[in-house]
Amino acid sequence: AGRELGGRINWESRLPGLASYGRVRDWRMGRLAALPNVEIYRESRLTAADVREFGIPEVVIATGARWRRDGVGHSALTGIPGAELPGVLTPDDIRAGKVPASPCLIYDDDQYYLAGVLAEKLAKDGIEVTLATPGLEVSAWCRMVDEQERVQQRLTESSVNMLTGMRLTEIMPGRARFHHIGGKESEQRWASLILVTSRAPENQLYDALTGDTDALRIAGIERVTRIGDCHVPGAVVHAVYDGHKFARE
């Protein structure tokens, strides 16, 4: 849909410590460039009608996912009251160029790598950053890939204030209310608040195509499949696996 191929890799590989993620895109771009039977159309956002016009029997949708704005995550299955307030952002807003106001409160209920590297980037940009998470340590899932201690060290060196064991229960103008694991309640001030909670599939195109089977049949489209984050949001490795598995099968 855009000018660059690579999706989320393009932005994430420019964040602190993630430059090596670019290899996931670069290696495949090199392979594609060497293949004579591949056509690439950039800046070509398609509607369901556009896809049907191609009349190609096999259609694969890989439209990615977006960060949720309602706060739904590991510890808030129904969302967080106040998430719709002005100044409440998601990583997608930062990716689009939005500069958060200082002090910035980042709430990490995803608990993987993104909130930590985002906090480090903003702190290096001169923004006062507090990273709060329900986890017992920041970026807790990074423990699974032996990177948690490195993440915490980098945040400490970047003067990021880290608050653990704190579940965000309500967002108010300029204030956020937290429930501690031990039962205590507290509040944190914010001028901007970034919710890093969970992602939702961007499957509108898939739904529009599969919702009209008669139009698919008339167009000669035999199968529509979704892969990667627009099927089930996950880590980069899961998207790579999903594409590889589909191609082999």
Side-chain angles (χ1 to χ4, degrees):
R3 183 65 191 162
E4 290 184 283
L5 296 185
R8 56 189 278 207
I9 292 291
N10 295 327
W11 176 61
E12 292 189 12
S13 63
R14 292 193 286 265
L15 293 173
L18 298 185
S20 64
Y21 274 39
R23 74 187 188 281
V24 177
R25 171 202 58 216
D26 295 343
W27 187 86
R28 287 166 178 79
M29 288 295 294
R31 296 297 297 159
L32 287 170
L35 293 171
N37 56 333
V38 175
E39 294 180 272
I40 297 175
Y41 296 88
R42 303 171 189 269
E43 297 175 298
S44 301
R45 185 176 295 275
L46 302 181
T47 65
D50 295 328
V51 175
R52 288 194 294 264
E53 283 184 12
F54 281 97
I56 296 175
E58 187 81 51
V59 175
V60 182
I61 306 296
T63 45
R66 67 187 183 281
W67 286 94
R68 296 186 65 126
R69 296 185 175 275
D70 53 10
V72 169
H74 286 296
S75 59
L77 300 182
T78 58
I80 301 172
E84 74 287 348
L85 287 172
V88 179
L89 309 171
T90 73
D92 291 327
D93 294 314
I94 310 303
R95 175 182 179 178
K98 178 77 173 180
V99 178
S102 185
C104 176
L105 174 62
I106 299 177
Y107 180 60
D108 181 17
D109 202 16
D110 172 59
Q111 301 182 43
Y112 195 18
Y113 62 86
L114 189 60
V117 295
L118 197 54
E120 182 181 349
K121 176 194 182 303
L122 295 178
K124 288 180 176 178
D125 289 343
I127 296 172
E128 178 187 336
V129 179
T130 294
L131 174 61
T133 177
L136 298 181
E137 55 188 3
V138 295
S139 301
W141 208 88
C142 285
R143 181 71 63 183
M144 303 294 183
V145 289
D146 295 329
E147 291 183 344
Q148 193 283 327
E149 292 180 7
R150 177 172 171 267
V151 170
Q152 187 148 340
Q153 178 182 351
R154 290 175 68 115
L155 290 175
T156 300
E157 292 170 352
S158 302
S159 300
V160 172
N161 181 33
M162 292 172 274
L163 305 174
T164 58
M166 297 177 61
R167 179 169 57 86
L168 180 58
T169 57
E170 184 179 2
I171 303 171
M172 300 157 285
R175 295 179 297 133
R177 181 168 294 139
F178 287 90
H179 177 82
H180 297 241
I181 286 180
K184 179 183 175 183
E185 302 283 335
S186 69
E187 292 185 357
Q188 292 289 322
R189 66 186 181 94
W190 59 273
S192 60
L193 195 162
I194 303 176
L195 295 174
V196 187
T197 55
S198 63
R199 291 178 297 146
E202 288 277 19
N203 50 24
Q204 295 92 332
L205 179 58
Y206 175 83
D207 290 342
L209 282 168
T210 57
D212 193 339
T213 54
D214 288 339
L216 288 179
R217 177 177 49 78
I218 293 171
I221 297 175
E222 299 173 4
R223 183 167 63 162
V224 180
T225 307
R226 54 183 167 173
I227 62 173
D229 284 345
C230 78
H231 183 210
V232 178
V236 174
V237 64
H238 300 128
V240 171
Y241 174 85
D242 218 13
H244 188 78
K245 179 175 182 289
F246 175 84
R248 289 182 66 90
E249 291 180 348

